[in-house]
């Protein structure tokens, strides 16, 4: 709090509010009200912009619970909106992007739609790739609301913009390689849309194209391989599943795969729980 690291301060406040101990109650009684008033009345735009960017990032990588994110967001929002009146619209984009992610995790479809429209208002103040990533986020929201056709239409349009962006990059930087992370992510999201709709052939096609776009970006490849494996299971393509699973789990036999997954879960339970889920589904 004294160093103006409001994001870390709010995270600690949230953690302490969930601890049922006397010493936590003392901190709450002595400090929380002062901190909240400081954020609402004395914080600067620069301090709050750092905090909202941290929140945005943690939401993007699923490194924060929804209730904690909502707690932090609700405290930051009124002060940021009051300070941003007619200026620094870039921060408002990140504010409402965080709001979109929180609403989607909470299952608030109508609120997610409103957040997306607010982000569009401020999209001109961020770079084009940030806006295209936002569109992919909203595509996820549409899928969660079972609006599959609308999500496909949105993501297909995003993909066309990504293609144009690639052409521009090639013209400006002809010496650069053909790795296109953002394009691959949009292809991967489109594959998800088709999977949810039940069109597994198209989904598999898009996932494979996405993997080809990622180059050596292992994290991106693994994430999309996970989606691909689910589609291959649903399509009952056993041979293709086994081939992809060997690459995804980095071993061939079922026993080796399970041992590997359980070892990795000890290191990172959230990420590798997805691997365990696809393994059990296939099994």
């Amino acid at each position: 709090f004294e160093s103006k690291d409001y994001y870390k301060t709010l995270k600690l406040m949230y953690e302490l509010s969930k601890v049922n101990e006397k010493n936590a109650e003392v901190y709450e009684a002595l400090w929380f009200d002062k901190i909240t008033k400081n954020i609402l009345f004395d914080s600067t735009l620069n301090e709050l912009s750092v905090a909202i960017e941290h929140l945005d990032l943690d939401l993007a990588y699923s490194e924060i619970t929804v209730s904690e994110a909502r707690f932090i967001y609700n405290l930051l929002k009124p002060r940021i909106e009051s300070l941003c009146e007619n200026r620094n619209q870039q921060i408002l984009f990140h504010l409402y992007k965080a709001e979109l992610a929180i609403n989607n995790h909470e299952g608030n479809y109508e609120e997610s739609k409103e957040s997306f429209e607010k982000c569009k208002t401020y999209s001109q103040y961020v770079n084009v790739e940030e806006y295209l990533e936002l569109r992919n986020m909203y595509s996820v929201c549409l899928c969660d609301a079972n609006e599959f056709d609308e999500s496909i239409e949105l993501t297909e349009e995003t993909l066309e913009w990504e293609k144009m962006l690639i052409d521009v990059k090639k013209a400006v930087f002809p010496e650069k390689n053909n790795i296109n992370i953002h394009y691959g992510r949009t292809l991967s999201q489109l594959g998800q849309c088709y999977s949810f709709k039940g069109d597994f052939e198209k989904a598999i096609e898009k996932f494979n194209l996405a993997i080809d776009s990622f180059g050596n970006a292992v994290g991106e490849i693994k994430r999309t391989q996970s989606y691909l494996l689910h589609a291959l299971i649903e399509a009952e393509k056993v041979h293709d599943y086994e081939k992809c699973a060997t690459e995804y789990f980095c071993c061939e036999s079922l026993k080796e795969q399970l041992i590997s997954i359980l070892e990795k879960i000890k290191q990172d339970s959230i990420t590798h729980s997805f691997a365990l889920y696809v393994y059990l589904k296939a099994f």
Side-chain angles (χ1 to χ4, degrees):
F1 172 58
E2 292 298 330
S3 66
K4 308 295 183 183
D5 186 344
Y6 287 129
Y7 187 65
K8 190 172 181 181
T9 301
L10 291 173
K11 284 180 74 70
L12 287 168
M13 281 174 63
Y14 177 82
E15 288 171 22
L16 282 167
S17 70
K18 299 299 176 184
V19 176
N20 188 23
E21 293 178 8
K22 285 291 180 185
N23 56 343
E25 291 175 11
V26 171
Y27 277 109
E28 187 168 354
L30 290 176
W31 287 100
F32 285 16
D33 189 51
K34 179 182 178 182
I35 291 168
T36 303
K37 285 179 180 176
N38 183 277
I39 290 172
L40 288 174
F41 300 107
D42 297 323
S43 53
T44 68
L45 200 55
N46 184 55
E47 291 158 0
L48 296 180
S49 68
V50 172
I52 203 67
E53 284 169 12
H54 276 300
L55 177 62
D56 193 4
L57 203 60
D58 278 354
L59 282 163
Y61 288 96
S62 301
E63 292 183 356
I64 188 171
T65 65
V66 183
S67 57
E68 183 180 9
R70 172 61 73 183
F71 171 83
I72 294 171
Y73 176 81
N74 286 348
L75 280 170
L76 294 176
K77 180 184 177 183
R79 179 63 173 169
I80 290 176
E81 286 180 328
S82 67
L83 288 173
C84 279
E85 212 169 338
N86 300 320
R87 63 195 181 100
N88 214 318
Q89 316 291 15
Q90 184 179 0
I91 296 175
L92 288 175
F93 177 89
H94 288 289
L95 178 72
Y96 298 128
K97 183 184 173 190
E99 181 183 77
L100 172 62
I102 293 167
N103 283 331
N104 187 42
H105 284 307
E106 291 175 339
N108 301 324
Y109 170 62
E110 289 301 324
E111 288 84 351
S112 295
K113 188 175 181 180
E114 290 175 15
S115 302
F116 179 63
E117 291 302 321
K118 284 189 278 188
C119 283
K120 282 170 68 177
T121 304
Y122 302 107
S123 61
Q124 62 184 301
Y125 301 104
V126 298
N127 71 56
V128 66
E129 287 179 334
E130 279 188 89
Y131 176 59
L132 296 182
E133 282 190 354
L134 174 87
R135 288 172 63 89
N136 285 339
M137 273 181 64
Y138 187 57
S139 174
V140 174
C141 299
L142 290 170
C143 286
D144 288 348
N146 297 328
E147 300 288 346
F148 304 128
D149 289 332
E150 189 178 347
S151 69
I152 289 170
E153 184 180 350
L154 176 83
T155 314
E156 290 276 17
E157 186 180 44
T158 304
L159 197 64
E160 289 304 309
W161 292 355
E162 291 280 8
K163 288 176 183 175
M164 286 189 276
L165 199 57
I166 288 170
D167 290 338
V168 171
K169 287 178 180 178
K170 283 180 179 176
V172 178
F173 306 108
E175 73 284 358
K176 292 282 185 180
N177 58 36
N178 61 350
I179 297 172
N180 298 293
I181 301 295
H182 291 278
Y183 178 65
R185 285 175 180 168
T186 303
L187 277 167
S188 185
Q189 175 54 31
L190 187 56
Q192 285 273 70
C193 296
Y194 280 118
S195 275
F196 290 134
K197 192 178 179 182
D199 190 340
F200 299 111
E201 292 299 328
K202 277 191 177 178
I204 290 164
E205 175 196 343
K206 302 304 179 187
F207 289 142
N208 281 319
L209 287 171
I211 290 167
D212 291 340
S213 302
F214 288 138
N216 295 321
V218 177
E220 302 288 348
I221 292 170
K222 291 288 185 186
R223 190 176 298 113
T224 299
Q225 279 180 333
S226 170
Y227 304 152
L228 173 59
L229 287 169
H230 282 287
L232 291 170
I233 292 166
E234 296 292 347
E236 298 183 357
K237 292 182 176 287
V238 179
H239 175 72
D240 291 338
Y241 170 85
E242 288 177 344
K243 181 181 176 184
C244 183
T246 300
E247 295 176 15
Y248 179 67
F249 296 117
C250 300
C251 43
E252 192 165 342
S253 76
L254 290 176
K255 183 178 179 181
E256 288 174 328
Q257 288 175 6
L258 182 58
I259 291 169
S260 174
I261 293 166
L262 295 177
E263 283 299 318
K264 288 174 181 174
I265 281 178
K266 292 177 184 176
Q267 303 162 22
D268 183 352
S269 61
I270 294 175
T271 302
H272 295 291
S273 291
F274 291 108
L276 180 60
Y277 176 62
V278 75
Y279 175 88
L280 292 172
K281 184 177 178 180
F283 191 81

